[in-house]
Amino acid sequence: MDSNVLIIFDTNRIRKTSKGEADYSDFSLGGDYPELLKFVKLNNLEKFIDLAIPEIVIDELEMQSKKSYFNDLEALENMKTRLAPIMGIFTKGRMAFDPDNHIRKNIEKYLADKGNVKILKMKKVDDILDHLKKKAFLVKKPFKNNGNGGFKDAILWENILHSDIFSKYETIYFFTENANDFEGCGTEFFKKHGKDFKIVVNYPQLETLLEEKYIDLIENISIFKFIKDDYFKDYVEKSTKDQRLNEINSGNFEDYKITDVEIKDICHDFEKIDKLREEEMDLYKIISLVKITLDNGQKKEILATTTIDEDRQFIDFEIEQ
């Protein structure tokens, strides 16, 4: 089961503030990001949900941090000037501190440590400027009014639209407070990428959408924790190795022994089979992607299906033939 949801953050959903200003002292993602990350980890959804930030959002967060720094510095210098006559404090110009280097390094280090966050690079696409001009002239979203307003949102939208990482995702959520500014952009996204693009405006709405989409995974989280355990993996490896593979060779069926097993994806797919009668138990089919080596030296990938019940007892095991 590959990741099939990508959540893209707008600046207003991840900005970290201190007393109403951007926090430049120790960069981290704030807003709804920590709560969403907690939800994803708690429900064992790291494999199914990816998070992304457009490069222009990173640039905006950096700019806001610098602005906050210079506002604080100006306030400090004004304070020093007022205090100087009574406390012998003299202003000596701005401190020997490079905010550009400090803030940028903090951002780069923080994001490098966050393997779950993808950066949507601003593509150097030749037709982006023409694309923007046409939209401005036609007053198409995210431009507003006479085509002059909304330029920042328009650049952000181009950053998203021209990214090329969407092929593996079924649904893309754009998490922003400004739904009206991007109204109708989902249609343009679908025409270009053939993917559903949904605008989400608040965290409860986003969590509800994710709960609805991954209801089976969330309801059966204990089963998925069991699947991730080494005990389950060892069972799949041993059971696969105990199998023999029948293949046609030169028109004849030949029987091969499996000499080596490598688990590529322990839960490549998942199916719950609801109980038919009250006294029965629910069953779960876990399909694993396995790379095997045969005794003739041939290597191939196969699917191995393990059936367990709700008490985590092994019921059946089979490999594709």
Side-chain angles (χ1 to χ4, degrees):
M1 301 175 86
D2 294 327
S3 302
N4 55 12
V5 163
L6 181 68
I7 300 171
I8 303 173
F9 289 96
D10 196 355
T11 312
N12 47 54
R13 304 301 343 179
I14 54 172
R15 183 191 295 111
K16 179 186 176 185
T17 61
S18 176
K19 296 183 178 179
E21 296 286 339
D23 189 352
Y24 54 83
S25 59
D26 182 22
F27 180 85
S28 62
L29 297 178
D32 295 302
Y33 172 79
E35 192 69 20
L36 176 60
L37 196 61
K38 180 180 176 182
F39 172 84
V40 170
K41 289 182 176 180
L42 181 65
N43 292 290
N44 205 35
L45 296 173
E46 296 100 318
K47 188 177 176 183
F48 310 101
I49 297 173
D50 285 340
L51 312 178
I53 306 174
E55 187 176 17
I56 191 173
V57 167
I58 300 298
D59 292 341
E60 184 176 7
L61 290 171
E62 180 181 7
M63 179 200 68
Q64 291 175 351
S65 295
K66 290 177 185 177
K67 181 180 178 182
S68 178
Y69 164 75
F70 284 115
N71 286 343
D72 284 353
L73 188 60
E74 183 177 0
L76 177 61
E77 291 178 338
N78 289 337
M79 187 185 304
K80 287 163 66 180
T81 300
R82 292 195 300 272
L83 290 171
I86 60 173
M87 296 186 65
I89 300 175
F90 298 95
T91 58
K92 295 181 180 179
R94 295 187 171 182
M95 293 178 288
F97 173 73
D98 181 0
D100 291 340
N101 187 53
H102 171 80
I103 294 170
R104 173 51 63 171
K105 279 190 173 180
N106 272 353
I107 291 174
E108 290 175 350
K109 182 179 184 307
Y110 179 85
L111 293 176
D113 293 338
K114 297 292 179 185
N116 63 313
V117 177
K118 300 178 181 296
I119 305 302
L120 304 184
K121 292 290 186 181
M122 189 69 183
K123 297 292 183 182
K124 306 296 190 260
V125 181
D126 293 338
D127 63 351
I128 280 184
L129 185 57
D130 285 338
H131 208 223
L132 285 171
K133 285 194 296 184
K134 289 175 183 176
K135 283 185 175 179
F137 295 152
L138 295 173
V139 197
K140 294 180 67 176
K141 292 286 188 178
F143 284 107
K144 306 171 185 175
N145 304 325
N146 61 357
N148 294 324
F151 186 76
K152 180 179 71 68
D153 286 338
I155 291 290
L156 169 58
W157 178 242
E158 295 300 313
N159 189 170
I160 295 171
L161 187 65
H162 291 281
S163 295
D164 55 8
I165 70 166
F166 303 118
S167 60
K168 68 185 254 187
Y169 300 104
E170 177 183 301
T171 302
I172 292 85
Y173 295 130
F174 181 40
F175 195 22
T176 178
E177 290 179 356
N178 305 324
N180 291 337
D181 295 340
F182 297 93
E183 185 181 358
C185 289
T187 302
E188 183 181 16
F189 187 92
F190 186 83
K191 285 180 180 178
K192 183 172 179 62
H193 297 286
K195 302 284 182 176
D196 287 334
F197 184 92
K198 298 180 180 178
I199 295 176
V200 185
V201 297
N202 58 62
Y203 180 75
Q205 180 191 8
L206 178 61
E207 189 172 296
T208 298
L209 288 170
L210 295 176
E211 286 175 339
E212 290 173 351
K213 186 171 184 64
Y214 295 109
I215 184 169
D216 285 343
L217 296 176
I218 293 171
E219 286 183 348
N220 300 295
I221 190 168
S222 63
I223 296 294
F224 279 88
K225 286 182 178 178
F226 174 68
I227 293 170
K228 292 175 69 174
D229 192 87
D230 286 342
Y231 179 71
F232 182 83
K233 179 181 176 183
D234 291 343
Y235 174 85
V236 174
E237 287 180 344
K238 182 180 183 305
S239 298
T240 303
K241 210 166 184 178
D242 289 342
Q243 304 291 311
R244 299 183 72 89
L245 203 66
N246 298 314
E247 290 198 325
I248 298 177
N249 188 7
S250 301
N252 299 315
F253 277 102
E254 293 194 12
D255 187 63
Y256 295 101
K257 182 179 179 181
I258 297 173
T259 60
D260 190 56
V261 174
E262 179 187 353
I263 306 295
K264 304 294 288 185
D265 187 355
I266 196 64
C267 187
H268 185 69
D269 206 350
F270 172 86
E271 179 186 357
K272 179 183 177 184
I273 304 171
D274 294 325
K275 56 190 172 188
L276 297 176
R277 289 180 288 274
E278 180 133 0
E279 65 274 12
E280 294 180 341
M281 288 189 176
D282 292 333
L283 297 180
Y284 302 86
K285 286 184 178 289
I286 298 94
I287 297 93
S288 304
L289 180 63
V290 182
K291 184 177 181 180
I292 61 172
T293 303
L294 303 178
D295 57 4
N296 66 351
Q298 181 184 0
K299 297 180 185 291
K300 64 184 301 183
E301 290 187 350
I302 63 168
L303 296 177
T305 301
T306 307
T307 303
I308 61 176
D309 64 23
E310 59 191 63
D311 286 339
R312 270 83 90 198
Q313 298 296 313
F314 294 104
I315 304 299
D316 190 25
F317 181 87
E318 60 181 357
I319 63 173
E320 64 178 16
Q321 290 283 349

